[in-house]
Amino acid sequence: MPASPANQPKASWKARFDALIQPYIPEYFPVAWKMGLSISALILIGMTLLAFILLNNQLQRMRDQADSFGNAIATQLAHTAREPLLAEDRFLLKVHINNLVRSDSIAGAALFNREGEPIDQAGVQPPASAPSSAEVRRWGGLEEDAMSTYFAPVRVNDNLAGSVAVTLSDRSITLAQREVRNTLITATLAMGVLAIIASFLISRRLAQPIHNLLAATSAMRKGDLQYRIQERRNDEIGHLIEAYNGMAHGMLEKDQVERVLQRFVSPSVARKMMANLDQVTLGGRDVTATVVFADIVGFTRLSESLAPEAVADMLNVYFDAISAASDFYRGTIDKYMGDCAMIVFGVPEEDSEHLFHGLCCAVMIQRLVTRLNEYRDARGLTTVEFRIGMNSGAMLAGNLGSRERMQYTVVGDTVNLASRLSNMAGAGEIIAASAIMEDPNIGSRVRATEYGAMRVRGRQEPVGTFRVDGVHALSETLMEQRIAQFLAEISAEADRESS
C-alpha cells in the first residue's frame, strides 16, 4: 500500500536529514561519550534556562523599582508645581526644576502647559510632546544612552492645568543588567564545566561494566572460556554479569566434556552428540565407506616378555602414529581393540575420496611404523610390526549397543572381511580385497600386486586379494613430509622429557 501524501513530506524530510548528518556520525561512538554528552547537554540546557529566568526576573524587578521611583518623583513634582503654575511664578518653577536636575539619579525635568507646550525644562528631554495623562516613555536606543521619561498631569479640581516630565537614565539599570548577566554567564560556564567533567566521570563509571562485558565476549570469541567478570553489582547490570558468568561456566563445562568425549569417540561424532544431546539414540543408517584394520604382529608373545607399563607405553606410541595418519587422511579411529586399531573413512563425515584416503592411510601407517622402528631401535627401545587389512563397500553406521551404553561404530560383512584380511596379512603388508582395485578411480593411483585368492573363515568361496605397495608420487611426497613432521615432534618431546 503506497504511503499517504501526508506522510511523504515527513519521510522525505527525515531522509534528507539523515543524509545530511550521516557523514558526521562516526562508525563507533562509545556509550560513555553518548551518556556524557547527553547528561552535559541536559545540564547546560537546564542551567541556561535557569540563568535566563533569573536574569529576566532580576531585570524586571530592577525595572519595576526604577519605574516606581520615576513615577513617584514625577507625581511629587506635579504636586509641588501646581501652585506656582497657577500663580504663573516661573522663577519658582525654574527653581524646582533645576533643584531636581541636580540629583545624580535624575537626567532631566520639564514643565508643560495644558496644550503640552514646554514652559520650562532642564537636562535631557524626550523628543516628543507631553501627553495629557500619566505615561512612561523609553527612548535613547543604545544601552548606555537609554532613557525613561515619566509624565504626570498637574490637575486642579479635576481640571488639567499642565504636566510635568522627569527623565531618568537607564545607565545604572544597564550596568546592573550587564553585571548580573556576566555573573550568571560565568557561574553557568563554571557549573557547566564541572557538570561536564562530573557527567563524563559518572558515564565512564556507568559504562565500565559494558566494557567488561565486551572484553569478556572478546575473550570468549578467542576461545578463552575461563574469563570471568569479577565486578559485583546489585542492579540490572549485575544480573547481566551473573548471567554471563553462568553462561561462560556452562560453556566451559560443555567444552571440557566435549574434549574428554573426543578422546573416546571421533571429534565429529563428539560434536554431533554435544550439539544434539536429545538425538543420541540407538539406530544406524546404510553407508558406503572404507574400513582399515591395523594389527600388531606377534603381540601375545611380545606382551609376555614386557611389563604391563612398558606394553602400555609402547602401544600409546604406535597408536599415536596411527592417529596422526588417520587424521591426515580424514579418517576416524572407530576403536582400539587390544593391539588392533579399526579406522573408518567416509563416516560419520562424508568423503567422496574415502577409498583412496583409506589406501593412503594404510601406506602411511606402514611407512611411519618403519621410520618409528628405526628411531626406537637406535635408542634401544622395543619395536613392532603391523599387518593391515582393508575393504570398502556397504555397511551399517550408527549408535549400536543398549540404551544405557552405546557406541558409534560400523558393522557388516564389509567390516568383517577387512578384519579377516588383516589376520591373514604378513608383517609390514597391506592386504586389500580385489573389489577395491576394480574401482576405475583407484587403479591408476595405487601400486599393487595381485596376492591371490584366499579362503576366509565364514565364506564358501575364496576371496581375491591384492597387496598394496604404494600410491602415486605426489601423494607419497606429502606423506613423507607429514611423517618427517611427526618424527620431529616425537624427538622434540623426548628431548623435553630427558631435560
Side-chain angles (χ1 to χ4, degrees), residues 255-265:
D255 182 70
Q256 291 172 341
V257 170
E258 184 175 344
R259 288 177 183 273
V260 173
L261 188 60
Q262 288 179 359
R263 298 189 178 187
F264 295 92
V265 297

Side-chain angles (χ1 to χ4, degrees), residues 191-433:
M191 293 299 295
V193 171
L194 293 177
I196 291 174
I197 295 174
S199 63
F200 273 94
L201 292 177
I202 294 173
S203 300
R204 284 174 60 87
R205 171 64 178 169
L206 293 176
Q208 186 59 43
I210 300 177
H211 290 293
N212 293 339
L213 286 170
L214 287 175
T217 54
S218 177
M220 182 177 292
R221 283 196 301 269
K222 295 177 181 178
D224 183 8
L225 299 179
Q226 295 184 348
Y227 188 96
R228 297 291 183 273
I229 303 175
Q230 302 301 327
E231 184 177 3
R232 293 294 180 267
R233 301 171 63 102
N234 58 350
D235 53 13
E236 293 81 358
I237 296 179
H239 293 316
L240 182 60
I241 291 174
E242 291 179 1
Y244 167 80
N245 288 337
M247 179 187 67
H249 180 71
M251 293 184 65
L252 177 61
E253 288 185 338
K254 181 179 178 181
D255 182 70
Q256 291 172 341
V257 170
E258 184 175 344
R259 288 177 183 273
V260 173
L261 188 60
Q262 288 179 359
R263 298 189 178 187
F264 295 92
V265 297
S266 69
S268 58
V269 173
R271 286 192 296 270
K272 290 181 180 179
M273 287 182 176
M274 296 302 297
N276 300 289
L277 294 176
D278 295 336
Q279 303 298 323
V280 181
T281 58
L282 290 173
R285 59 189 179 93
D286 293 329
V287 297
T288 300
T290 299
V291 60
V292 173
F293 283 86
D295 186 23
I296 296 178
V297 178
F299 178 74
T300 303
R301 176 181 51 81
L302 182 64
S303 60
E304 292 175 354
S305 61
L306 295 176
E309 294 80 4
V311 173
D313 293 339
M314 181 192 66
L315 287 177
N316 290 336
V317 170
Y318 284 98
F319 283 160
D320 192 24
I322 292 176
S323 177
S326 63
D327 289 343
F328 190 63
Y329 288 105
R330 300 178 58 182
T332 299
I333 296 180
D334 185 271
K335 62 175 68 72
Y336 294 109
M337 299 170 290
D339 62 328
C340 179
M342 174 181 171
I343 313 167
V344 294
F345 299 83
V347 287
E349 295 181 355
E350 294 184 2
D351 180 9
S352 60
E353 289 281 352
H354 61 84
L355 178 51
F356 180 67
H357 286 160
L359 288 165
C360 290
C361 180
V363 173
M364 182 174 176
I365 290 174
Q366 294 293 27
R367 301 274 178 89
L368 190 53
V369 168
T370 300
R371 299 279 296 276
L372 187 58
N373 285 341
E374 295 174 357
Y375 172 84
R376 291 175 61 85
D377 188 60
R379 288 163 175 74
L381 301 175
T382 304
T383 61
V384 297
E385 290 184 301
F386 278 81
R387 55 188 180 185
I388 296 177
M390 63 177 298
N391 194 15
S392 182
M395 59 189 73
L396 180 69
N399 296 319
L400 304 178
S402 65
R403 291 186 178 86
E404 290 75 20
R405 185 177 180 83
M406 63 184 70
Q407 180 182 11
Y408 187 91
T409 187
V410 291
V411 294
D413 184 64
T414 301
V415 179
N416 295 335
L417 179 57
S419 177
R420 300 287 189 273
L421 293 178
S422 69
N423 293 330
M424 300 177 68
E429 289 184 338
I430 303 171
I431 303 301

Side-chain angles (χ1 to χ4, degrees), residues 59-132:
L59 294 179
Q60 186 62 41
R61 185 172 299 178
M62 295 174 65
R63 175 59 64 186
D64 292 343
Q65 292 176 354
D67 289 344
S68 297
F69 177 75
N71 287 325
I73 296 298
T75 301
Q76 183 180 5
L77 178 60
H79 180 73
T80 304
R82 182 171 52 184
E83 292 183 1
L85 182 62
L86 292 176
E88 297 182 353
D89 188 349
R90 291 181 176 272
F91 177 77
L92 186 58
L93 291 173
K94 181 179 281 294
V95 171
H96 287 313
I97 292 175
N98 289 336
N99 287 338
L100 195 62
V101 174
R102 288 174 185 171
S103 174
D104 295 335
S105 58
I106 299 176
L111 178 64
F112 304 90
N113 58 21
R114 63 171 56 90
E115 286 80 16
E117 297 173 350
I119 298 175
D120 200 356
Q121 58 186 9
V124 296
Q125 300 298 323
S129 59
S132 59

